[in-house]
Amino acid sequence: MRPTTLDPLFAPVTTLSGVGPKLGKLLDKFLGDELRGARVIDLLFHLPSGAIDRRPSPSIAEAPIGDVATFAARIAEHRPPPPGKGKAPYRIVVEDESGDVTLVFFHADVRHLLQTLPIGAYRIISGKLELWEGMRQMVHPERLLEPKLAATMPSFEPVYGLTEGIGPRVMGRIVAAAAERCPDLAEWQDEAFLARSGFPPFREAMQALHQPADAKAVEGDTVMRRRVAYDELLASQIALALVRRQQKKAAGRATSGDGQIRRALESALPFTLTDGQRQAIADIHDDMEKPERMLRLLQGDVGSGKTVVALMAMAAAAEAGRQSVLMAPTEILARQHAERLAPLAAKAGLQLALLTGREKGPGRRQVLEGLADGRIDIAVGTHALFQEGVAFRDLALAIVDEQHRFGVHQRLLLGSKGEAVDILVMTATPIPRTLALTWFGDMDVSVLSEKPAGRKPIATKVISLDRYEEVVAGVGRAVAAGAQIYWVCPLVQESDTLDVAAAQERSEALQQLFGDKVGLLHGQMPGRDKDQAMADFVAGRSRILVATTVIEVGVDVPNASVMVIEHAERFGLAQLHQLRGRIGRGSAASTCLLLYKGPLGPVAEARLGIMRETEDGFRIAEEDLRLRGEGEVLGTRQSGSPDWRIARPETDGDLLAAARDDARLLIERDPQLDSPRGQAVRTLLYLFERDVAVRLLRAG
Ligand code: ADP
Ligand code: MG
């Protein structure tokens, strides 16, 4: 059971004052996931991405122009728009001995302004100060305070990632309310280590992160963030250590089949397996036959054919009369896997079912029954497969596709679904082995290094967005020649509203030219519409699919041979590589157009250059590492790894090493976490949601 001291943090966000059902819904979409809404702790861990300096300038003359300025001034004059020009802005001139500033209000509520800013009154004013025709002006001041309230305005105001419908002030207010809720918790860190590192207590660190004392405080390498990052790393290393210990103790079960279903499958395939695929299948089967638990990573670049390896492994489990799950990171991908595997599975006499958060009602019940009584051999789904209430008759094998989106926590949950489940993790991210080991624990590795035969190279071109018209003309020619095209619009910062808007706008523009040949796919569409858009594209009813990065992972439409990526300079290299891997899967020659908005900095130019030069995922990852650091390679920065909320692989490597040693020592000395520190560590595991590991304690 979770310690009750943590209850306020795991309560829904609507338990915060000022967060009603409407705000709650927006936050659920922003910080929640398929299975649960946003909780107070999600806000607590929503750290500022910057801070606004609101320290007052001594006078108007000294206030910085072109930046946020804060100063005290007297209201000197109200200037309503001239008669007959009702739409012109309302202006108010404020002054001190050193100069004046014109405050500009569009669509002003004049009565309100007259009431709150009477002539002669003094105000603390803060906002972006500009020069306009030689005069200082400020459009819509962000703060207008009576001097006696000056102290309520922090010198450094945290800036948070936003979502549609929640502006900076509201976000600031509710995150502050969440930070207030952070309880005082018994210390789980080693006291000597804390003292040496100069780390403050958890609560103090959390609150300081949300109330930056200076501009540096949000830059990332502060002692406050490092404290919490270390907490997170320790929690995950302890969880890993517990899993390792349990894996050693609990012998696995040998799963071996007679090869009959696999042979049936192989002869049903429309192609012959590559040597690499055969080897990987053999590695996996050897592991499964052993009485130990398998923990294997299958690495293979996009398009290398990992899915069929997964299917063969699941067939081997079925031969032994046991069940398997295949988990995908997105709903779209889960559906695609299910649709593509079902006919093959059927030919081999296997029952396959789909389970995501969207399967509801009687259909869902049927699947759950089939899993519980063993009628279903293979379940394909999203992490809804972990949900309480999903039980298997005899689960032998769990396969996780596109692993960097999953983590140790999910792996633990999986392990809890069956005794001694073998685990296969598939990734297209070419994680250097050393990194994989430290961040994800010990795994055996199989690599698919060759691509299936018959692939043609992809011609990649880097083109300025200024040449949009030419690109569209080229797209038109490709469509006329029978090709299908992905048109990818970028994610704009942290807002998924803006990127959706960009994709919508682009699809409308292309519809003007190509009519109903244009489809649209983005993350905010209802699930059914997403399926429909995808199905239309797969069936060739739409020829151009305008999409946000929801197509990044795994989607497979062999006839798609052209990809246009707009604002390619905004993507990470790994992400560009993943995206581009969606084409070049059929027999036609493929083209990828990387559209950029200039001018490009030297790093951006080098990155796009690498994309033009090579299709080799490992080479791209290496260059990426060189240009950006480890974080990009793991995809943590761009995709927002669910496994790491605070810690950053690129800067916290030293902490990781310390946490690993600390965790091992702790588990050695106090294997049941019974000591006072052990008890506090249990709270830590719940706090960072590694608590499945706590169940292992009881089991042990
Ligand atoms: P990924 O490794 O990116 O998940 P997929 O498993 O989706 O790749 O495979 C990509 C495409 O290659 C699919 O259309 C699949 O049917 C095809 N494919 C897989 N193995 C082979 C093979 N040995 N020969 C030819 N095509 C193959
Ligand atoms: Mg795949």
Side-chain angles (χ1 to χ4, degrees), residues 326 333-343 352-355 380-381:
L326 171 60
L333 199 54
R335 263 165 221 286
Q336 180 186 281
H337 273 324
E339 272 158 29
R340 303 183 68 230
L341 295 180
L352 181 148
L354 175 70
L355 188 70
V380 177

Side-chain angles (χ1 to χ4, degrees), residues 287-358:
D287 284 355
M288 288 172 65
E289 271 185 335
K290 286 185 194 142
E292 290 112 53
R293 291 178 68 170
M294 169 170 81
L295 188 50
R296 183 169 286 277
L297 182 69
L298 176 62
Q299 258 185 0
D301 210 345
V302 281
S304 60
K306 295 183 290 294
T307 318
V308 69
V309 174
L311 183 61
M312 294 296 267
M314 295 193 287
E319 284 166 15
R322 307 186 62 197
Q323 295 166 293
S324 323
V325 294
L326 171 60
M327 280 185 315
T330 66
E331 177 104 30
I332 289 185
L333 199 54
R335 263 165 221 286
Q336 180 186 281
H337 273 324
E339 272 158 29
R340 303 183 68 230
L341 295 180
L344 283 171
K347 276 189 195 154
L350 296 174
Q351 287 297 321
L352 181 148
L354 175 70
L355 188 70
T356 74
R358 261 178 54 214

Side-chain angles (χ1 to χ4, degrees), residues 173-194:
R173 182 171 58 71
I174 57 186
V175 175
E180 276 294 296
R181 282 273 189 97
C182 185
D184 232 339
L185 298 167
E187 185 56 69
W188 46 74
Q189 297 292 0
D190 178 61
E191 294 290 349
F193 174 78
L194 279 189

Side-chain angles (χ1 to χ4, degrees), residues 528-547:
R528 300 230 169 280
D529 295 358
K530 275 194 244 179
D531 292 349
Q532 190 58 49
M534 206 56 230
D536 284 345
F537 192 61
V538 171
R541 286 188 293 273
S542 66
R543 313 299 297 184
I544 304 173
L545 185 64
V546 178

Side-chain angles (χ1 to χ4, degrees), residues 288-453:
M288 288 172 65
E289 271 185 335
K290 286 185 194 142
E292 290 112 53
R293 291 178 68 170
M294 169 170 81
L295 188 50
R296 183 169 286 277
L297 182 69
L298 176 62
Q299 258 185 0
D301 210 345
V302 281
S304 60
K306 295 183 290 294
T307 318
V308 69
V309 174
L311 183 61
M312 294 296 267
M314 295 193 287
E319 284 166 15
R322 307 186 62 197
Q323 295 166 293
S324 323
V325 294
L326 171 60
M327 280 185 315
T330 66
E331 177 104 30
I332 289 185
L333 199 54
R335 263 165 221 286
Q336 180 186 281
H337 273 324
E339 272 158 29
R340 303 183 68 230
L341 295 180
L344 283 171
K347 276 189 195 154
L350 296 174
Q351 287 297 321
L352 181 148
L354 175 70
L355 188 70
T356 74
R358 261 178 54 214
E359 269 63 49
K360 299 235 157 71
R364 180 185 191 82
R365 215 168 316 124
Q366 241 175 26
V367 172
L368 292 181
E369 278 168 18
L371 293 174
D373 68 20
R375 241 178 317 142
I376 296 171
D377 303 296
I378 296 176
V380 177
T382 56
H383 63 320
L385 286 166
F386 300 131
Q387 232 171 338
E388 302 277 329
V390 181
F392 297 84
R393 190 179 66 83
D394 187 5
L395 184 64
L397 171 67
I399 304 182
V400 181
D401 193 12
E402 306 297 351
Q403 166 244 12
H404 62 280
R405 309 253 170 143
F406 282 86
V408 173
H409 175 67
Q410 281 86 353
R411 216 165 76 202
L412 286 168
L413 274 168
L414 254 183
S416 70
K417 288 286 174 201
E419 40 135 353
V421 175
D422 284 330
I423 294 176
L424 175 68
V425 171
M426 307 199 292
T427 181
T429 314
I431 311 165
R433 210 183 130 76
T434 46
L435 273 180
L437 288 189
T438 4
W439 287 92
F440 301 105
D442 301 320
M443 292 192 219
D444 298 310
V445 181
S446 296
V447 180
L448 297 181
S449 48
E450 52 182 332
K451 292 219 171 161

Side-chain angles (χ1 to χ4, degrees), residues 271-274 277 301-308 340 452 455 556 585:
F271 47 75
T272 45
L273 295 169
T274 64
Q277 285 169 326
D301 210 345
V302 281
S304 60
K306 295 183 290 294
T307 318
V308 69
R340 303 183 68 230
R455 293 283 162 76
D556 188 31
R585 292 176 167 234

Side-chain angles (χ1 to χ4, degrees), residues 80-88:
K85 288 200 160 181
K87 289 226 168 109

